[in-house]
Each structure stands twice: as C-alpha cells, then as structure tokens.
Amino acid sequence: MTDATPEGELWGRRAAQRAALGAKMSMPAWKTAVERTNIGQGTRVLDLACGSGEFCALATEAGARATGIDASNEMIRLARRAAPAAEFHVRALGPLPWEDGTFDVVTAFNALFFAPDPEAAFAEAVRVSKDYVVVCDWHPEHTSDVLAVGWAIRGPSGRRRPEMPEPHENLTIDIPQHYPDEDTMLRAFLSTGGYQRMIESEGEESVAEKIKAATEPYRTPDGGYQLENKYLMSIFRKNEIPGN
C-alpha cells in the first residue's frame, strides 16, 4: 500500500511523532461536532483526511460506525491502532467510492484545503452525506498563532478554504496549544508535513533554529510555550443546501 498523494508521504514521515504531540489539538472541535450533529449509537460517520484516527476513535466511543480516509499510508496504519472498531482507507480527497447518502455525518477538520479542488471535495462530502456535513478550518477573521509561526518561517501556504453555501450554523472554536518545554515544541512543529521539504533542503537544525526564533513571542515564564488558535466550524444540513 502506498501514499495516495505526495502530501500524504510528507505527513507520513513523522506520523507517530505527530500523533503523539499534536494530533489531539483539535479535540475541542471534535467534541463540539459530536454534540452538534448528535453522533451516537449507530450513526454512520465519514472523516475526511482523518490523520491518525483520533476523531474516529471518539466517534466509535459514542457508538458510531466510523470510516476514515487519509492520503498517508502511515497515518492510516496508526489510525487502525487508535480506532480498531473503525474502517480506514488510504485515499486522497476527491471522488469518493460511496453511494449518495451513505453516511449520516461527514466531517472535514482542517482537511478540504488539501484537495486539488476544494469545492469538488466539499460537493463529494455533501453527496455521500445523508444529513450533516461539518467543515472546520482555521478562522479567517482571527490569526491563529500556529499559522503566524508558519508564515514567519515558510510564508503563506497558498491553500484555500472552499467557497461554500450558507451553513446551518457557524461556530468559533478555541484551540489552545501548550508545550511544556522547547524540545517538545520543536518536535511537535517538526513533525508536521509542512516542514518536511524545508528539512530536506536546509537540514533539521536550520529549520529548528527558525522555529525557535518564530515561537519566541509565545514563550511563557516557566520555559514552556502557549499558542492561541481559533477554528471556524461550519455545520451544514444537506436538505438546506441548494440543489440537494
């Protein structure tokens, strides 16, 4: 089994490190999605770009029948350990193999901007959903600290949120990140796919020095780091989306 995209390969390089140090940062958004879409016993859930599977694990704990897709083979390997009751596939964002209305809830947490065509990926999420589609992304009106660090080091990514219809509900979700020390902070940042090309070309030591400089404003008096971030969660009901 191979990675579905080059991006998947990048995120798979340090997948275990990412899962240990950063995968659960979205937990406040995951819990909100479970509550707002009534995920429970027997709910059929599809998580797009599921990473190492922690949201699928949360959904199955609530009684759902969860499925996850991710472009990284290594992430899917970890996901199968994190949520053994769920079903996982190595697959890129784009056309999906399921019939219309297969899932009660389809989720995309910081996912659709990885798609070559974000609007088409959103349309597929709507198609395979019977009811809810949850799209969660960095808030466009609040600069998140983790993005500010990335922009300072790499510049803007060029990725974009899809153009979407008016949602049933918009929610702002606080996503704080705390690292107890410099080593933990560095390993967390260096584990993400976005830094792998830089590590290839410049070396890990050089990239680490840039991360240390960019995160200095977020250092706390005890030597840790506190970064404040916000997601915009858009919740759609299929029967409210024009054309469905």
Side-chain angles (χ1 to χ4, degrees):
M1 189 179 295
T2 59
D3 301 299
T5 65
E7 188 85 34
E9 189 276 328
L10 294 177
W11 282 88
R13 290 182 184 180
R14 304 191 183 194
Q17 188 170 316
R18 176 63 183 167
L21 297 174
K24 292 186 177 180
M25 66 173 283
S26 296
M27 185 62 77
W30 298 341
K31 289 182 176 179
T32 301
V34 168
E35 294 167 1
R36 295 284 181 161
T37 64
N38 304 309
I39 290 174
Q41 193 66 41
T43 306
R44 295 166 300 172
V45 177
L46 173 65
D47 188 28
L48 304 177
C50 66
S52 45
E54 287 79 6
F55 174 72
C56 286
L58 186 68
T60 58
E61 288 169 9
R65 292 181 288 161
T67 301
I69 67 168
D70 198 271
S72 166
N73 177 43
E74 187 61 22
M75 285 290 188
I76 290 297
R77 187 182 69 82
L78 293 172
R80 289 178 175 140
R81 292 182 181 178
E87 176 183 325
F88 294 100
H89 304 275
V90 178
R91 191 174 188 91
L93 295 173
L96 299 172
W98 295 283
E99 295 181 358
D100 296 4
T102 296
F103 302 95
D104 300 300
V105 181
V106 179
T107 57
F109 299 98
N110 278 5
L112 296 185
F113 54 63
F114 286 115
D117 185 336
E119 286 77 20
F122 174 73
E124 276 291 274
V126 173
R127 182 185 67 77
V128 301
S129 171
K130 183 179 179 181
D131 191 354
Y132 288 98
V133 175
V134 179
V135 177
C136 206
D137 199 351
W138 302 109
H139 204 296
E141 297 174 6
H142 301 277
T143 300
S144 292
D145 293 341
V146 68
L147 289 187
V149 171
W151 293 339
I153 298 167
R154 308 189 311 264
S157 69
R159 299 190 181 109
R160 64 179 182 84
R161 181 184 176 92
E163 295 291 332
M164 299 179 293
E166 188 69 23
H168 174 76
E169 184 178 24
N170 269 333
L171 299 166
T172 297
I173 312 291
D174 288 318
I175 306 291
Q177 287 175 283
H178 176 73
Y179 303 111
D181 51 53
E182 182 178 88
D183 179 66
T184 304
M185 179 276 295
L186 283 173
R187 289 189 295 117
F189 272 93
L190 290 168
S191 70
T192 65
Y195 289 97
Q196 301 312 306
R197 295 293 190 207
M198 285 187 69
I199 293 171
E200 277 183 0
S201 61
E202 300 180 21
E204 183 171 321
E205 185 175 344
S206 172
V207 177
E209 288 301 318
K210 291 180 179 180
I211 293 172
K212 284 192 284 187
T215 55
E216 185 60 31
Y218 311 107
R219 187 189 287 269
T220 56
D222 63 358
Y225 295 80
Q226 184 69 32
L227 287 79
E228 302 299 333
N229 312 289
K230 291 184 185 295
Y231 285 168
L232 177 63
M233 177 181 286
S234 299
I235 300 176
F236 300 86
R237 303 296 296 269
K238 185 167 184 171
N239 62 4
E240 296 176 0
I241 297 174
N244 289 279

